[in-house]
Amino acid sequence: MARTSADAKPIYQLKVTLHGIRPPIWRRIQVRAGITLPRLHDTIQAIMGWDDEHLHQFIIGGEAYGLPDPDLGGDMRSERRVKLEQVVTTEKDRFVYEYDFGDSWTHVILLEKIVPPEPGGYYPRCLAGKRACPPEDVGGIWGYAEFLDAIGDSNHPEHEEMLEWWGGDFDPEAFSLEEINQALGGRRLPQQSRREFRWEFS
């Protein structure tokens, strides 16, 4: 079967890091260069574990891309027809994805490298990552720190309240590569790629 032009697109390897949290929460993914910004938004939601309940924007080269809202004002450009390869072109380029303008979860995205697609490879896919996504509506990086303090100390005055709010235990170190790839498309990362990127789990 002949390959389509979409299948022949270069692959962007991106490292997505949630800004301002230590130890860092991050994911390494591969996407086709021709992915649209709305599809990249969906991908980031899946790999991080967000629920897509809030507004978002990409900030690339000083321009904001998202879903313009006249009530919010500003100079946001529509992301709808924009492809990643049109606005990010060079290895080591960085850009920002912000989710939830109240909690302001800022993700710094680094284009680590551009590689050819693997024969039979599927994209997007996650290669590696560390640590769980914070809960929605926890109050940004400061609220998340307070949440972890409360659930980690049985003597904390808000310990029981926070556990009830979350709905049980929360493990900030939890990360499942298989679950993320299932969320992205229901398929597992090929064994060869898992071996290739094992050294990058850090």
Side-chain angles (χ1 to χ4, degrees):
M1 181 181 296
R3 296 176 66 186
T4 67
S5 58
D7 291 336
K9 287 281 188 182
I11 301 304
Y12 279 15
Q13 181 169 304
L14 307 173
K15 185 173 183 182
V16 182
T17 304
L18 195 53
H19 179 69
I21 294 181
R22 292 290 181 271
I25 299 170
W26 62 271
R27 309 285 186 260
R28 177 171 287 114
I29 61 173
Q30 289 183 335
V31 302
R32 295 192 185 278
I35 192 172
T36 63
L37 293 188
R39 178 67 174 124
L40 181 59
H41 157 71
D42 292 339
T43 300
I44 296 171
Q45 289 285 309
I47 64 169
M48 295 303 296
W50 299 119
D51 295 328
D52 201 7
E53 297 178 349
H54 302 281
L55 297 174
H56 71 276
Q57 66 177 345
F58 292 93
I59 302 175
I60 307 173
E63 296 280 355
Y65 299 85
L67 302 175
D69 186 336
D71 294 333
L72 296 178
D75 298 319
M76 182 178 290
R77 299 176 59 180
S78 174
E79 66 181 20
R80 192 173 304 278
R81 299 183 184 278
V82 179
K83 296 181 178 180
L84 185 58
E85 64 184 350
Q86 296 173 324
V87 287
V88 177
T89 59
T90 307
E91 290 184 354
K92 308 309 177 185
D93 279 353
R94 295 176 187 267
F95 59 103
V96 166
Y97 169 79
E98 182 183 4
Y99 171 62
D100 184 352
F101 298 159
D103 281 3
S104 189
W105 296 110
T106 300
H107 307 67
V108 178
I109 304 178
L110 168 66
L111 173 53
E112 291 186 319
K113 57 185 178 180
I114 303 173
V115 298
E118 293 181 4
Y122 66 90
Y123 305 95
R125 64 184 182 185
C126 186
L127 303 175
K130 280 288 187 180
R131 300 178 186 87
C133 178
E136 294 272 2
D137 302 316
V138 76
I141 58 175
W142 309 116
Y144 183 51
E146 293 172 359
F147 170 75
L148 293 181
D149 285 343
I151 66 170
D153 180 2
S154 59
N155 295 317
H156 193 285
E158 296 182 349
H159 178 74
E160 294 299 331
E161 179 182 348
M162 287 293 100
L163 288 178
E164 182 179 355
W165 173 77
W166 171 246
D169 292 334
F170 177 84
D171 180 4
E173 294 298 317
F175 172 80
S176 172
L177 184 63
E178 185 167 0
E179 288 181 6
I180 287 175
N181 278 302
Q182 286 176 347
L184 287 173
R187 286 178 283 185
R188 299 175 63 186
L189 189 62
Q191 185 66 35
Q192 179 180 359
S193 293
R194 284 203 293 271
R195 289 197 300 269
E196 178 182 354
F197 289 95
R198 184 177 299 158
W199 65 274
E200 294 182 301
F201 280 66
S202 60

